[in-house]
Amino acid sequence: MPVSLNRREVLAAAAITGTGAILASTRLASGMPTRPAAPAVPPDIRPTAPGAGLGSARLAPLGNLGFDASSGKLVLPKLPYEYTELEPAIDAETMEIHHTRHQQKYVDEGNKLLAGTPLAGMPPEAVITQLDMVSDAGIRTKIKNNVGGHVNHSMFWQLMAKPGSKGTGAPTGPLADAISNTLGGFEEFKTKFAAAAAERFGSGWAWLVVRDGSLAIVSTANQDNPLMGATHAGASGHPILGLDVWEHAYYLKYRNKRPDYVTAWFTTVNWDKVSQLHAAATNAPGR
Ligand code: MN
């Protein structure tokens, strides 16, 4: 499918980026606040240059999210455990289908869609922060769905571990403190997060995000990710934990009982990884 590129838009984005960098350095030099009073978009999700996504840098602790830098293509990531290892919370058949069929489709479709766009060759977590660089609304939506799906699943796998293994159970350290201070403690957090997951009508995700230095629970539809920003995803922030509530994630084992899946899924959360993302999101430059 031919992709209609709006060259002027790409150049305009680059110009805005350049201006932003100059303004930022001027503010730093003069001791002025680095955050504009009323930014059109949060400064941390504004593209810095083609190939980069400042917001996506906060996902760095997760490492490669399914990208082959030499070919510039999306690739299906390896899981950090066997398909059987999340049982009994998530059954092996669901894991295998979810990974090898659902995510593989996002990878294949994403690669086709990105070819020939200004986003081709970028890591997927950077792509989803720069959707505005695709001028064709129809193609932009397809990229959002498929590359968003790829990023979301690559994150999801890494934020889980075998129930009872290191990192599972409950958060510790600064993340536990932040959950206590802003969300009423771990039990209250689980109640609120489960409610966000249950109330997401149809397919989507529940997220724990860092926004303006503080924790928040949000949900998004389809394969939207808070990194895309409020305009594209209806919610913004740096995701540090995500839960897939599409029926394909739980229906084989849990049928219509999404809340039971959510309760069991908590036993798989790798809080060590969540803590690493929390630290990266709260300690990053510009905060
Ligand atoms: Mn899924």
Side-chain angles (χ1 to χ4, degrees):
M1 181 185 294
V3 174
S4 156
L5 298 185
N6 184 332
R7 183 76 188 154
R8 214 170 33 178
E9 184 174 312
V10 173
L11 291 173
I16 290 165
T17 299
T19 308
I22 291 163
L23 286 173
S25 55
T26 306
R27 282 189 208 100
L28 285 172
S30 64
M32 291 167 67
T34 53
R35 186 171 296 180
V41 293
D44 51 358
I45 61 168
R46 186 173 298 169
T48 51
L54 194 54
S56 66
R58 267 80 163 192
L59 299 182
L62 292 183
N64 190 315
L65 291 177
F67 179 67
D68 176 35
S70 61
S71 65
K73 301 282 191 188
L74 311 180
V75 292
L76 193 68
K78 286 197 164 52
L79 302 193
Y81 37 73
E82 302 296 326
Y83 293 131
T84 54
E85 285 190 279
L86 301 186
E87 291 185 345
I90 303 178
D91 61 285
E93 186 180 13
T94 294
M95 285 300 298
E96 182 167 4
I97 293 172
H98 204 171
H99 182 230
T100 63
R101 301 193 202 169
H102 290 277
Q103 190 178 12
Q104 184 68 58
K105 187 152 192 285
Y106 300 133
V107 168
D108 294 343
E109 293 297 315
N111 280 327
K112 280 187 224 164
L113 289 160
L114 289 170
T117 76
L119 302 174
M122 288 187 197
E125 64 273 29
V127 167
I128 64 169
T129 68
Q130 303 184 62
L131 293 169
D132 286 333
M133 290 183 73
V134 179
S135 57
D136 184 298
I139 293 172
R140 185 166 61 237
T141 296
K142 289 178 182 174
I143 289 176
K144 182 173 82 150
N145 291 340
N146 286 281
V147 182
H150 180 48
V151 172
N152 293 350
H153 288 84
S154 295
M155 290 185 65
F156 186 51
W157 311 136
Q158 290 211 44
L159 292 167
M160 295 189 287
K162 180 181 172 63
S165 68
K166 184 181 176 299
T168 62
T172 56
L175 175 60
D177 294 343
I179 287 174
S180 290
N181 293 337
T182 59
L183 297 172
F186 186 50
E187 291 307 314
E188 184 69 15
F189 156 77
K190 285 198 286 188
T191 300
K192 289 172 177 166
F193 195 90
E199 289 162 14
R200 167 51 54 188
F201 188 78
S203 298
W205 291 73
W207 302 96
L208 178 61
V209 302
V210 173
R211 187 168 53 208
D212 298 328
S214 186
L215 292 177
I217 293 168
V218 300
S219 79
T220 57
N222 304 316
Q223 295 296 354
D224 294 354
N225 183 304
L227 271 181
M228 295 169 180
T231 303
H232 295 294
S236 64
H238 298 286
I240 65 172
L241 178 62
L243 170 59
D244 189 342
V245 297
W246 284 55
E247 284 188 345
H248 70 226
Y250 64 86
Y251 206 83
L252 288 182
K253 181 178 171 79
Y254 295 94
R255 305 299 174 185
N256 59 315
K257 296 174 181 167
R258 186 189 287 183
D260 290 356
Y261 156 69
V262 175
T263 299
W265 167 81
F266 278 120
T267 67
T268 72
V269 175
N270 185 338
W271 291 104
D272 286 352
K273 287 283 178 75
V274 182
S275 282
Q276 289 170 17
L277 289 182
H278 177 244
T282 52
N283 301 332
R287 288 283 168 202

